[in-house]
Each structure stands twice: as structure tokens, then as C-alpha cells.
Amino acid sequence: MAGVSVIPVKSKQEMKTFVDFPWELYRDDPYWIPPVKSQVAKLLTPGRHPFWQFSRREIFLALRARPPFSVRPSSGCGRRAWNSSGAP
């Protein structure tokens, strides 16, 4: 995509931009029920949610000249998660 740069989220301000994005995207949608922002931030913060004991994530922002838009976080579940649950 021309004019778009994808950067990993590293700072608190970038994380805030990522978390706030759905409010910008759906602000005119009368059917959107927003989640609690603090819960979204907690879910995405390693060490603050049990999921991250066995997983990792990288969050990205796609930036362009207009206001930023975000992409979904990607996470990988390591073998450790399978081993601790007894799965093969």
C-alpha cells in the first residue's frame, strides 16, 4: 500500500492509539457496544492476563498521512502452552 508505514507498537502513546482506534472507527455506528478500555488494555498487556503466560504478541499500527489506523494484534501460542495443558 502506497503511503502506509507499518510500525510495531512500542510506546504507551502508540498503545493508546491502538486501543482507541475502534472508538474512532465505530463512532457513528449506533449498534456498536464498546468494550471497557481498561479491560482491552489489560487483555493486550503481557503479564496482566493469564493468556500471556504461554503466548506472545506483537501489535502494529499502520500509519498514513491521515489519522492512523491499526491492524489486529497477532499472537503465537508456544509449545509450552500445549505441554502444560497435557495436549500432545
Side-chain angles (χ1 to χ4, degrees):
M1 251 187 223
V4 175
S5 60
V6 178
I7 61 164
V9 170
K10 300 285 185 191
S11 71
K12 286 184 179 185
Q13 182 57 47
E14 291 166 345
M15 179 60 90
K16 182 181 180 328
T17 300
F18 182 84
V19 169
D20 289 347
F21 174 69
W23 278 260
E24 180 70 24
L25 181 66
Y26 298 116
R27 70 175 172 232
D28 296 328
D29 185 346
Y31 300 107
W32 185 59
I33 301 172
V36 177
K37 281 188 185 181
S38 63
Q39 292 297 316
V40 173
K42 181 179 178 181
L43 177 64
L44 293 173
T45 303
R48 299 216 40 221
H49 190 278
F51 177 75
W52 301 118
Q53 292 176 25
F54 308 105
S55 304
R56 59 191 172 131
R57 61 103 169 111
E58 191 71 37
I59 298 174
F60 298 92
L61 286 174
L63 305 172
R64 58 183 172 191
R66 297 187 320 193
F69 62 95
S70 64
V71 296
R72 291 287 180 207
S74 63
S75 63
C77 297
R79 186 85 177 138
R80 190 172 129 198
W82 284 96
N83 291 340
S84 68
S85 69

